[in-house]
Amino acid sequence: MSDIVISGLGLVTPFGRGVEPYWQGLLGGRSALGAARRFAAPLYRGEPVGEVPWDPAPGDAPRKSAYARAAFGEALRAAGLAELPDGAVVLVVGQAPATAPAPDGRLLDEEREFLGPDPAGVFGSGGGSASPRVLHLSHACASAVFAVGYARELLRAGAAPVAVVVGSSVLNQYEYASMDVVRAVGRTAARPFDAERAGISLGEGGGAVVLEHAERARARGALADIAVAGAACRVSGPKAAASDAAQVARCMRDALADAAADRLDHVHAHATGTGQGDAAELTALEAVAAESGARALPVSSHKGAIGHLLHISGAPAIAAAALTLRTGIAPPTAGLRAPEPTERLVLPTAPLELTGARAAAVNSFGFGGNNASLLLLRR
């Protein structure tokens, strides 16, 4: 069976537009979290957030669509695609489709930053003349990784020549309130895996991932070295707003089994900076590391650098894991000063050189028992 590869990536993050500024920010251990300059909400008390420093031009699409469009365009360019081919599928991830009008037929600005992104705003630039089939997926904060797993199945089944996962997150009062009410928001900047972590920091941005058969990508000279070799998506867990270590470990085992992989060289963790969530993931990682015989498995998280991008948070995680495999360097986790004690894991506080790294897992978990893991292999 042909490999399904990631041929293009695109990002908008609090480090700016593009994958490269994001990657350099991660390698430098920098944090883009700080007091909001734009965002305001009834429950916002000045906690650090990750705001995108770029504002769309006046009259442009809502920021949520503008961020998704910028990431979509970068991903297509990276894949060497001038436009989407006929039959392409685009999987838009987000809270809900941007199709519910207000009583007067319009959406309020705040509602536009909660719903969507609107596909019409995303494909207005960079999508070419082809009209892709569009699906909307919503699996809480695991949405992007769920979508990548689904895209891989569509491609394997021959249902599309190319699939693109795209989405965005914009700081808004509704999602801020949903995280605040469950006491997930930290009053200080997120510090994933730190013994003194105090909660998440919300961020915003956009992400896009182009997937296709390796042969198709190579035929036009596109990079086809990172295969989505394994995927596991599960909706399970005893509590709606808490991670379950057993389910997290099961998800990772399923992804490894799907890839027929017997080793892990790196994990890009979900790790939001909450006490319960990080502890459950570490427990699961220790169990999986022990089963695979790993003794010093490097584990990183991007959320101390740019915050939690909610539904699209899987896109920067996938980008970081892919670049770790390509460069042989695992990035540190920004804000990590006092790592939790571990037995078989390494939690880098500085860039860590990896020799011969080929396999990386990406974890993404959400409320409602939404758990997803990918296994990326460098070919």
Side-chain angles (χ1 to χ4, degrees):
M1 184 177 293
S2 170
D3 280 342
I4 304 301
V5 298
I6 296 170
S7 58
L9 291 165
L11 290 176
V12 174
T13 74
F15 286 123
R17 297 174 66 168
V19 172
E20 186 60 22
Y22 164 73
W23 180 240
Q24 292 305 319
L26 288 191
L27 289 182
R30 294 189 287 116
S31 172
L33 304 175
R37 62 180 179 85
R38 177 199 311 118
F39 171 64
L43 294 178
Y44 178 64
R45 294 171 288 266
E47 300 89 359
V49 293
E51 285 188 317
V52 170
W54 160 62
D55 288 319
D60 199 356
R63 288 189 299 123
K64 196 162 194 179
S65 292
Y67 295 164
R69 186 172 70 238
F72 181 79
E74 182 188 16
L76 286 192
R77 291 190 297 274
L81 290 168
E83 62 180 25
L84 289 175
D86 290 337
V89 172
V90 176
L91 300 167
V92 178
V93 299
Q95 183 72 42
T99 56
D104 61 0
R106 295 177 297 174
L107 287 173
L108 301 176
D109 287 346
E110 274 290 307
E111 291 170 334
R112 288 185 181 278
E113 306 303 26
F114 174 65
L115 303 172
D118 184 355
V122 174
F123 309 137
S125 174
S129 59
S131 297
R133 290 171 290 162
V134 179
L135 303 175
H136 188 103
L137 270 71
S138 187
H139 281 275
C141 298
S143 294
V145 174
F146 265 81
V148 168
Y150 186 37
R152 187 182 71 143
E153 295 309 305
L154 288 175
L155 293 166
R156 281 183 164 182
V162 172
V164 184
V165 174
V166 63
S168 56
S169 176
V170 172
L171 290 163
N172 65 84
Q173 63 175 320
Y174 306 112
E175 287 172 320
Y176 204 88
S178 73
M179 291 294 169
D180 189 76
V181 75
V182 294
R183 301 180 182 178
V185 178
R187 303 303 172 223
T188 56
R191 297 165 62 182
F193 294 139
D194 195 282
E196 298 180 1
R197 62 190 180 277
I200 71 172
S201 297
L202 289 177
E204 61 183 9
V209 183
V210 179
L211 299 114
E212 58 188 309
H213 287 275
E215 292 88 343
R216 182 185 178 94
R218 292 192 186 103
R220 64 172 187 279
L223 202 58
D225 61 331
I226 303 296
V228 181
C233 301
R234 310 181 64 86
V235 181
S236 56
K239 295 182 179 180
S243 295
D244 182 270
Q247 295 300 328
V248 170
R250 189 174 180 184
C251 205
M252 293 189 68
R253 292 186 191 107
D254 287 351
L256 282 161
D258 185 40
D262 59 1
R263 60 179 280 187
L264 264 179
D265 301 308
H266 176 64
V267 176
H268 197 88
H270 182 66
T272 63
T274 64
Q276 191 277 331
D278 286 11
E281 190 169 11
L282 285 173
T283 297
L285 287 167
E286 289 281 9
V288 172
E291 292 162 7
S292 66
R295 297 186 179 278
L297 177 62
V299 180
S300 305
S301 169
H302 66 274
K303 293 185 178 76
I306 65 171
H308 192 352
L309 273 56
L310 302 179
H311 291 80
I312 197 59
S313 63
I318 291 167
L323 287 165
T324 293
L325 292 179
R326 282 178 179 157
T327 64
I329 301 174
T333 296
L336 179 57
R337 297 192 291 273
E340 285 279 14
T342 60
E343 294 182 9
R344 293 177 174 267
L345 311 177
V346 175
L347 305 175
T349 57
L352 179 64
E353 186 171 345
L354 306 181
T355 301
R358 288 190 59 248
V362 177
N363 285 342
S364 198
F365 313 126
F367 287 173
N370 286 283
N371 302 305
S373 294
L374 298 177
L375 197 287
L376 305 184
L377 285 181
R378 187 175 187 197
R379 299 300 194 186

